Amino acid sequence: MTPRTLRAIPPAQADLALAALSDLRPHSPQTASPDALRAFLTQAEAEGYRLVGAFAPGQPEAVAVAGYRVMNLLYAGTVLYVDDLSTRPAARGQGHAAALLGWLEKEAGRLGCAALHLDSGVGEDRFTAHRQYLKAGLNITAHHFSKRLGHGEQR
Ligand SMILES: CC(C)(COP(=O)(O)OP(=O)(O)OC[C@H]1O[C@@H](n2cnc3c(N)ncnc32)[C@H](O)[C@@H]1OP(=O)(O)O)[C@@H](O)C(=O)NCCC(=O)NCCS
């Protein structure tokens, strides 16, 4: 088994999550620098967003991260929603994301969540993630719709 430690990453340690998050969101201004990410995480934490990281022996930066929050939804009750899941390319295929998903499921139980939810893009770059989600027991339960409104920050 690949040795790893899973632990929370607070905003003050944004630099430890920067590489994995910028792999996942390379066009986000919030992943452009440690300071930008710290500012984002500080604000997002106030809105309930949390980060957990997987750490490999001898590597200070997280090799994989997951960002999540608790959401109360009329249609689903209290759920743990996963915003972000990313493993650094060199660390893929070693079970880090599976371990993070397992951790998130336990955390969901601890926080009284009835289910784990996430959205995932439909492009080829997400096929590995989709296989993983199905293997982890998640089902495809919705279509996600969005519309660009032409103002604010567009990605
Ligand atoms: C999707 C992603 C997070 C998976 O991360 P990962 O740490 O490589 O995931 P795991 O190692 O747990 O599982 C990946 C594969 O390795 C296999 N695996 C798991 N542990 C393993 C081990 N010890 N040895 C060999 N293979 C292993 C899994 O069975 C899985 O196989 P599959 O691709 O056939 O399903 C990663 O590929 C990634 O960051 N992709 C780009 C970003 C992305 O798509 N994020 C999700 C957004 S919704």
Side-chain angles (χ1 to χ4, degrees), residues 9 15-20 52-56 59-65 86 88:
I9 303 177
D15 52 316
L16 303 185
L18 183 64
V52 58
F55 293 85
Q59 290 187 52
E61 290 187 12
V63 290
V65 294
S86 172
R88 307 248 34 225

Side-chain angles (χ1 to χ4, degrees), residues 2 24 85-87 91-98 119-120 125-126 128-129 131-133 135:
T2 307
L24 178 66
L85 178 68
S86 172
T87 298
R92 289 182 189 163
Q94 298 168 31
H96 294 304
D119 288 304
S120 185
D125 58 341
R126 293 293 180 256
T128 303
R131 272 198 302 279
Q132 174 135 38
Y133 298 148
K135 266 195 213 163

Side-chain angles (χ1 to χ4, degrees), residues 143-155:
H143 292 289
H144 178 95
F145 292 87
S146 69
K147 177 181 179 181
R148 291 187 172 216
L149 299 176
H151 47 76
E153 192 187 306
Q154 295 286 343
R155 306 253 178 90

Side-chain angles (χ1 to χ4, degrees), residues 27-47:
H27 307 300
S28 167
Q30 283 91 352
T31 63
S33 71
D35 283 347
L37 185 59
R38 196 171 303 109
F40 167 78
L41 291 177
T42 302
Q43 187 189 335
E45 189 180 62
E47 296 162 3

